[in-house]
Amino acid sequence: MKLTLTVTMEDGNRFDVTTSLFTVVAWERKTKRKASELAAAIGVEDLAFLAHHAAINTGIALPIALDDFIKKCTSIEVAGVADANPTEPVHTDEH
């Protein structure tokens, strides 16, 4: 699953980030939960972790510590959800 998150910082700066497999695995390791649980119950701290991790890994300059990022963040919204590995249609050989 890939999430696109819109982050608004206290200085008014807004940016979008999209999670990667690396980010989701880091979230699983931190929370000891499976990614399939994200759809059922996602908290604000979960969104903050995913946004922070994805942003840091795409080169966006943010505070390194998650709590410092959260202190400067005013909102995080889910802008989109996509399957990380969408299934391509199978072409069949019809005679």
Side-chain angles (χ1 to χ4, degrees):
M1 171 192 333
K2 285 188 178 187
L3 294 175
T4 299
L5 304 169
T6 300
V7 178
T8 305
M9 303 300 287
E10 67 184 5
D11 63 3
N13 184 27
R14 288 178 61 120
F15 58 89
D16 288 341
V17 291
T18 302
T19 60
S20 64
L21 178 63
F22 181 59
T23 295
V24 174
V25 169
W27 176 85
E28 285 184 334
R29 289 175 179 168
K30 178 186 182 294
T31 64
K32 307 293 187 235
R33 293 169 43 202
K34 299 292 181 193
S36 59
E37 296 177 36
L38 273 171
I42 189 165
V44 176
E45 184 176 13
D46 297 321
L47 291 174
F49 177 86
L50 293 167
H52 181 255
H53 193 276
I56 294 288
N57 284 294
T58 56
I60 297 173
L62 293 175
I64 296 299
L66 179 60
D67 283 346
D68 292 339
F69 165 71
I70 293 170
K71 288 176 189 175
K72 294 182 180 290
C73 185
T74 59
S75 73
I76 302 171
E77 300 169 16
V78 177
V81 179
D83 186 1
N85 297 308
T87 304
E88 295 294 324
V90 176
H91 296 286
T92 59
D93 190 23
E94 295 179 20
H95 292 95

